[in-house]
Amino acid sequence: MLYSVKMRSAKGGAHELGGKHISGAERIVNQEEIERSVQAMIERAFQHERGCADFINLKIEQIVPQNIVYIRQLAISTLAADTMLSGRNAAVEKLINSGVTKAAALSGIEQLAGLSESMHGAMLLSSTTGQRLDAAAQRGIRVSNMDVADLPAYRMVLRNCGLLDMHVREAVVLASKVQSAAGVIAELCWSDDLTYTTGYVANKSGYYRIPHLKLLNSPNGGRAFFIKPDTNIEVLVSYLENTPVLIRPQEKVGC
Ligand code: WAQ
Ligand code: MG
Ligand code: MG
Ligand code: MG
């Protein structure tokens, strides 16, 4: 039996009482792996660079096996960019290659860069106009219920690429689930973690890392999913939030 294990932590009290979000994590694991993953999550909440949590919420839930969807991991590659400006130009170009209009791509960059406070989830943007299509405001759409099907194999894929950072590990899983959704064309992301400046664009054919999508020590970060304007938003959001997805690691990747 597989279990979903989720953690969210905050400082200054619980999120719902106004505490500042520190970190979140989730895994889908076998029963015997639950304790170890919970331990790692708690450590992370106490040692995050955003601060030391004083509130931690843990949820452990059995998953109905028939509900699990298996998908392929996106292949990883890295685009060249040595400044934020060239990084953002590379992102726009990759978004346009993915089928996003130039106006929508530029608008996506502008909307992420304009966030004065981190959102909880992602914005859904029209791939033609760049207009916001979800009604989730500052909360955004939170992708959840995903993990890798084979963690040791996935670790090996990342290690072979010299990618050992937790950010990459989680982002490739999230991006793979997002691109497996009908209606999604591309994703643009950079972290809100102060020192993590590498972001990415993902589309149906890959995960493209882009060094320098923001400046060092900037708390700005976010995610935008570009979707076809005729997409059924309710169906899409339900898939992203609720459908348990396990990602099969891809051995043959660039990086
Ligand atoms: N679902 C939707 N949006 C999310 C989620 C989620 N589960 N988690 C985070 N976000 C949004 C939210 O607005 C955050 O403020 C923003 O994304 C950034 O989240 O290959 O670590 O967890 O080296 O800070 C990219 C790795 C790492 C690039 C991105 O994002 C690479 C990262 P963070
Ligand atoms: Mg985080
Ligand atoms: Mg994260
Ligand atoms: Mg973060």
Side-chain angles (χ1 to χ4, degrees), residues 24 44 167 170 193 223:
R44 172 173 166 152
H167 290 86
E170 291 184 351
D193 298 5
R223 278 185 160 92

mmCIF file of all heavy atoms in Angstrom, residues 24 44 167 170 193 223, ligand 3:
data_model
loop_
_atom_site.group_PDB
_atom_site.id
_atom_site.type_symbol
_atom_site.label_atom_id
_atom_site.label_comp_id
_atom_site.label_asym_id
_atom_site.label_seq_id
_atom_site.Cartn_x
_atom_site.Cartn_y
_atom_site.Cartn_z
ATOM 1 N N GLY A 24 7.295 23.417 2.641
ATOM 2 C CA GLY A 24 6.329 22.337 2.484
ATOM 3 C C GLY A 24 7.029 21.197 1.784
ATOM 4 O O GLY A 24 8.039 21.393 1.120
ATOM 5 N N ARG A 44 13.729 19.519 7.759
ATOM 6 C CA ARG A 44 13.676 20.584 6.762
ATOM 7 C C ARG A 44 12.919 21.814 7.288
ATOM 8 O O ARG A 44 13.330 22.947 7.066
ATOM 9 C CB ARG A 44 13.001 20.018 5.524
ATOM 10 C CG ARG A 44 12.686 20.983 4.458
ATOM 11 C CD ARG A 44 12.188 20.189 3.276
ATOM 12 N NE ARG A 44 11.548 21.064 2.314
ATOM 13 C CZ ARG A 44 11.500 20.819 1.028
ATOM 14 N NH1 ARG A 44 12.043 19.729 0.551
ATOM 15 N NH2 ARG A 44 10.903 21.640 0.222
ATOM 16 N N HIS A 167 16.014 21.277 -4.730
ATOM 17 C CA HIS A 167 15.145 22.101 -5.585
ATOM 18 C C HIS A 167 14.871 21.416 -6.913
ATOM 19 O O HIS A 167 13.746 21.381 -7.389
ATOM 20 C CB HIS A 167 15.798 23.464 -5.872
ATOM 21 C CG HIS A 167 15.876 24.364 -4.696
ATOM 22 N ND1 HIS A 167 16.918 24.317 -3.799
ATOM 23 C CD2 HIS A 167 15.060 25.347 -4.274
ATOM 24 C CE1 HIS A 167 16.729 25.226 -2.876
ATOM 25 N NE2 HIS A 167 15.606 25.877 -3.126
ATOM 26 N N GLU A 170 12.657 18.170 -6.670
ATOM 27 C CA GLU A 170 11.218 18.429 -6.520
ATOM 28 C C GLU A 170 10.622 19.080 -7.759
ATOM 29 O O GLU A 170 9.490 18.778 -8.143
ATOM 30 C CB GLU A 170 10.987 19.333 -5.303
ATOM 31 C CG GLU A 170 11.282 18.631 -4.010
ATOM 32 C CD GLU A 170 10.954 19.482 -2.796
ATOM 33 O OE1 GLU A 170 10.661 20.684 -2.966
ATOM 34 O OE2 GLU A 170 10.994 18.940 -1.701
ATOM 35 N N ASP A 193 13.135 31.131 -3.010
ATOM 36 C CA ASP A 193 14.220 30.971 -2.030
ATOM 37 C C ASP A 193 15.339 31.946 -2.401
ATOM 38 O O ASP A 193 15.779 31.989 -3.555
ATOM 39 C CB ASP A 193 14.745 29.528 -2.037
ATOM 40 C CG ASP A 193 13.660 28.518 -1.640
ATOM 41 O OD1 ASP A 193 12.498 28.931 -1.460
ATOM 42 O OD2 ASP A 193 13.980 27.333 -1.521
ATOM 43 N N ARG A 223 5.346 30.655 -10.015
ATOM 44 C CA ARG A 223 5.131 29.705 -11.119
ATOM 45 C C ARG A 223 3.956 30.150 -11.966
ATOM 46 O O ARG A 223 2.939 30.613 -11.428
ATOM 47 C CB ARG A 223 4.823 28.309 -10.575
ATOM 48 C CG ARG A 223 6.044 27.513 -10.187
ATOM 49 C CD ARG A 223 5.686 26.096 -9.781
ATOM 50 N NE ARG A 223 6.830 25.227 -9.870
ATOM 51 C CZ ARG A 223 7.678 24.977 -8.861
ATOM 52 N NH1 ARG A 223 7.494 25.523 -7.687
ATOM 53 N NH2 ARG A 223 8.709 24.166 -9.052
HETATM 54 MG MG MG B 3 9.675 23.922 -3.345
#
